[in-house]
Amino acid sequence: MTRRGRVVLVVAAALLSLGGFWLGTRTAGHAAVPVMVPAHAGLPWVEVHEGDTLWAIADALSHGEDPATLAEEIKRLNGLPDSLIRPGTRLYVPKDDTTTALR
């Protein structure tokens, strides 16, 4: 094979590879990723008000313990990707008899 033939072959292979990568990234961006949220039946909940933060809610419910663990559990229960919460949202919290006062 000539030098020119090898260059054409390498360039064609590179373009095909790049095209495959590009198509892969396009389809991965459109793939539906379901958020697995457990059933909320029977779980207490709090409604988020203006100025509330996930940390403040977890702190109020933690009974003096580290609120970080409770904040992570609330995020998991509600399928939250981060700590951003919006007023009017209902946040389910781990079962505890004292949470009903916060509704």
Side-chain angles (χ1 to χ4, degrees):
M1 184 180 278
T2 65
R3 180 181 165 105
R4 183 177 179 187
R6 286 189 298 241
V7 169
V8 168
L9 186 61
V10 168
V11 168
L15 288 175
L16 284 173
S17 295
L18 288 174
F21 288 133
W22 180 78
L23 284 175
T25 59
R26 300 289 297 165
T27 57
H30 297 292
V33 179
V35 175
M36 300 302 289
V37 179
H40 295 126
L43 284 179
W45 54 271
V46 295
E47 184 173 336
V48 178
H49 296 105
E50 189 70 37
D52 284 348
T53 63
L54 184 61
W55 185 266
I57 292 170
D59 190 36
L61 298 173
S62 66
H63 308 295
E65 295 182 21
D66 182 22
T69 305
L70 184 56
E72 287 300 317
E73 179 67 12
I74 293 171
K75 283 172 42 178
R76 187 192 64 76
L77 277 174
N78 293 280
L80 299 174
D82 53 36
S83 297
L84 181 65
I85 56 175
R86 301 189 192 296
T89 303
R90 180 181 286 191
L91 286 180
Y92 292 94
V93 296
K95 197 170 197 95
D96 186 346
D97 294 333
T98 61
T99 58
T100 56
L102 292 174
R103 283 190 190 173

